[in-house]
Amino acid sequence: MYRSLLALALLATPTIAMAAKPNLGTVAERSGYQQTGRYDEVIALCDAFQLAFPKAVRCFDFGISPQGRPMKALAVSTSGALTAEDARTKGVPVVLAQGGIHAGEIDGKDAGFGLLRDLLQGKVGKGVLDKLVLLFVPVFNVDGHENFKAWNRPNQRGPAEMGFRVTAQRYNLNRDYVKADAPEMQAMLALVNTWDPLATLDLHVTDGAKFRHDISVTGDPVNVGDEALREAGKTLKAGIIAKLKTQGSLPVDFYPSFADDDNPASGFVETAYTPRFSSGYFPLRNRLVMLIETHSWKTYPERVRSTYNAVLDTLELVAQHGSQWRQWEQDADARAAQLAGTPVPLDYKTTEDKRIINFLGYAYKRVPSTISGTDMVVYDERTPQLWMLPLRDTIVPGITVIAPKAGYLVPAEYAAQVGAALRLHGIEFRTLTSPHTQAAVESFETDSVKFAAAPTEGHQRSTLTGSWKPASANLVAGALFVPIAQAKARLVMAILEPQAPDSIAAWGGFNNS
């Protein structure tokens, strides 16, 4: 009996010692892209990719959600740079691909994991990961992802169930980049400050009208931000669109939202977004950002494929141009540090100039709605139609102010509030250690204040008009000095200029004054 038991144990030993091969497949793939996995799949896949490719993948947490979930990121590269410090030392550019900021729009998660596997197995983009780091956040809004229901996105064709638009605390993360109320956003800004991505991809799904185009690519700096750096933004945007066309997509280079809601004949208006949005925020840091929006009326398999291609195309373009674009960004940083005393736009507006474009739509008619009692548009997807529509896409500066010659002074009583905001964005400032009496300054004198009729994410927004005028101030120790001579000078002005659309003042931070 003893010998036979020993023999059985010896026979069993090789089986026990053999490690299981990590499973890198997804629920989406196994279901034919009819479903998407829950967040526990993201956690498991993050670990599995690191286990399968330990020299090319690092899985790590960059935050904790309000409901206690780990916020996962994967650093992926075959350059030997799997930390931010290594990327800086080796001069390897970083591309941040951010999925699920609106967790019902989850194409980026499933596209990203499929692309990672194909890149690491050498099926696509050969050599790309030798030249860059892909910093992949599968799901930004992790709590919203687990608010999982079938009809969270009623105008979206698949998956069968999906997450929700806002966080557990009801924050829309793509309205939170500057004010950074949400713990998730604070974690994302820390990630961005640490890694300093050359380019960020914000992966979304649009909705609304039915048309044949499957994806839009917009972003900046193209119309806004440092003028010389716009050439890099234009090259990246045009390059993605050109590649998508060869891959079978029908891309557009503007966000296809009608000028008049639910009225195709009204055409389109291209917008320069304020920095509460990702596409308005990163240009203020002199960095590239592209907003990738697949179209909700396309099926989930089609949308995932378009997103997969857009991310791959971006990586190929950064692998080709990354060194040059990084130098251009650094040059833009140096120019930003020289903005003192020069005019700087706080926002942008679209002019009335228009041109007629061809747009691939469907036949449609307006019929009375039994629910709203007003007319609604009904599309006939059996009848393709070429629409000839106006597009307004000339964007010019709106409110423009002269940057301060030295910087901004923040009284000690507001130092904690303002200092906390500046730290989140990695902005340089210092605390005065001694008082200054009768300091010659400029003070913003308000002519009018208009308060919003309804709150937005817990804030009563305010619109201020006025101007800076000479004054004197008595500053006690503990006041802050924020120099304008720094790379993030545009972001400094976006936060501290009272008339800037996403400033602390505009978000009601000083409404008790």
Side-chain angles (χ1 to χ4, degrees):
M1 177 66 73
Y2 174 80
R3 291 180 62 186
S4 62
L5 286 174
L6 178 60
L8 286 172
L10 290 171
L11 286 171
T13 299
T15 303
I16 294 171
M18 290 177 63
K21 187 176 181 180
N23 183 359
L24 305 180
T26 63
V27 168
E29 292 167 325
R30 292 190 291 273
S31 69
Y33 293 95
Q34 301 306 302
Q35 298 176 343
T36 190
R38 301 295 293 268
Y39 193 65
D40 57 0
E41 179 189 47
V42 171
I43 297 172
L45 282 171
C46 194
D47 291 335
F49 269 92
Q50 178 174 278
L51 182 62
F53 301 98
K55 294 183 179 180
V57 177
R58 183 168 72 90
C59 168
F60 63 97
D61 296 357
F62 69 96
I64 298 291
S65 76
Q67 291 184 336
R69 296 184 177 91
M71 299 176 69
K72 292 289 186 179
L74 297 90
V76 185
S77 182
T78 49
S79 70
L82 293 180
T83 67
E85 183 178 0
D86 286 342
R88 281 191 296 273
T89 300
K90 294 175 178 289
V92 180
V94 177
V95 176
L96 169 60
Q98 172 186 282
I101 189 171
H102 296 150
E105 306 167 27
I106 205 59
D107 304 12
K109 177 190 69 174
D110 289 322
F113 277 124
L115 176 60
L116 280 191
R117 187 181 62 239
D118 290 350
L119 284 167
L120 290 164
Q121 292 177 349
K123 295 179 180 178
V124 297
K126 293 183 179 180
V128 163
L129 292 177
D130 294 338
K131 299 178 180 179
L132 55 81
V133 178
L134 173 58
L135 186 61
F136 177 44
V137 176
V139 182
F140 184 2
N141 179 9
V142 298
D143 291 342
H145 187 281
E146 292 305 278
N147 186 357
F148 210 70
K149 296 183 179 65
W151 293 103
N152 278 340
R153 296 270 296 168
N155 290 339
Q156 181 172 293
R157 286 178 173 157
E161 295 178 291
M162 72 289 289
F164 196 55
R165 182 176 181 84
V166 298
T167 71
Q169 296 175 320
R170 310 299 292 181
Y171 287 116
N172 182 338
L173 292 176
N174 206 28
R175 307 295 185 273
D176 198 40
Y177 264 91
V178 171
K179 64 183 178 67
D181 286 333
E184 296 95 332
M185 182 57 72
Q186 294 169 17
M188 177 59 72
L189 292 176
L191 186 74
V192 168
N193 289 336
T194 299
W195 283 87
D196 189 20
L198 176 145
T200 294
L201 295 176
D202 193 5
L203 306 174
H204 287 255
V205 184
T206 187
D207 53 17
K210 292 181 182 178
F211 44 75
R212 287 178 279 160
H213 295 281
D214 62 321
I215 190 169
S216 70
V217 181
T218 58
D220 275 302
V222 171
N223 296 302
V224 308
D226 183 273
E227 291 196 14
L229 188 56
R230 295 181 194 184
E231 289 306 309
K234 291 174 183 176
T235 302
L236 177 57
K237 178 179 175 180
I240 297 170
I241 289 171
K243 285 175 174 285
L244 284 169
K245 288 179 179 178
T246 68
Q247 294 159 331
S249 279
L250 298 171
V252 291
D253 62 357
F254 58 90
Y255 185 84
S257 177
F258 295 134
D260 297 332
D261 189 41
D262 209 27
N263 180 11
S266 67
F268 305 101
V269 180
E270 188 169 8
T271 301
Y273 292 97
T274 65
R276 74 190 69 172
F277 298 87
S278 65
S279 51
Y281 177 75
F282 285 97
L284 297 181
R285 299 178 70 119
N286 307 312
R287 299 298 181 262
L288 306 177
V289 61
M290 288 292 138
L291 181 68
I292 307 297
E293 296 258 6
T294 56
H295 187 44
S296 64
W297 291 110
K298 297 296 180 180
T299 65
Y300 195 50
E302 292 174 302
R303 299 200 321 267
V304 170
R305 172 52 56 178
S306 296
T307 304
Y308 175 110
N309 287 335
V311 178
L312 174 60
D313 298 342
T314 302
L315 297 180
E316 290 176 342
L317 289 161
V318 171
Q320 180 182 355
H321 300 286
S323 295
Q324 180 187 46
W325 290 347
R326 175 54 87 191
Q327 184 59 57
W328 287 4
E329 289 182 342
Q330 291 171 348
D331 293 344
D333 287 348
R335 285 189 293 272
Q338 302 296 320
L339 286 176
T342 65
V344 176
L346 297 182
D347 66 358
Y348 293 82
K349 61 185 179 181
T350 307
T351 71
E352 294 298 321
D353 295 341
K354 63 183 68 174
R355 58 190 177 93
I356 302 301
I357 63 167
N358 296 332
F359 194 81
L360 303 177
Y362 295 104
Y364 67 91
K365 59 184 178 181
R366 302 188 73 87
V367 300
S369 169
T370 58
I371 297 174
S372 68
T374 60
D375 285 348
M376 60 178 288
V377 177
V378 176
Y379 297 90
D380 180 3
E381 295 179 74
R382 299 167 300 178
T383 310
Q385 198 174 72
L386 181 65
W387 295 344
M388 308 285 287
L389 299 178
L391 170 63
R392 292 166 49 206
D393 61 353
T394 301
I395 293 172
V396 298
I399 299 172
T400 298
V401 301
I402 302 299
K405 292 182 180 179
Y408 295 89
L409 287 164
V410 181
E413 57 268 31
Y414 292 104
Q417 174 189 358
V418 175
L422 299 176
R423 288 187 191 93
L424 286 173
H425 298 281
I427 289 172
E428 301 169 19
F429 67 93
R430 61 185 176 89
T431 303
L432 303 185
T433 56
S434 60
H436 292 259
T437 59
Q438 298 298 307
V441 300
E442 288 184 328
S443 176
F444 187 83
E445 293 190 9
T446 302
D447 297 329
S448 67
V449 180
K450 182 179 179 181
F451 296 105
T456 302
E457 298 200 343
H459 295 262
Q460 184 184 24
R461 285 182 51 81
S462 58
T463 303
L464 290 78
T465 61
S467 59
W468 292 96
K469 296 182 179 179
S472 63
N474 294 320
L475 298 168
V476 303
L480 306 182
F481 173 63
V482 188
I484 197 65
Q486 58 177 297
K488 297 188 180 81
R490 286 187 176 84
L491 184 56
V492 169
M493 295 181 71
I495 293 171
L496 296 181
E497 279 290 334
Q499 296 180 94
D502 286 321
S503 67
I504 295 174
W507 278 103
F510 305 123
N511 280 2
N512 59 331
S513 299

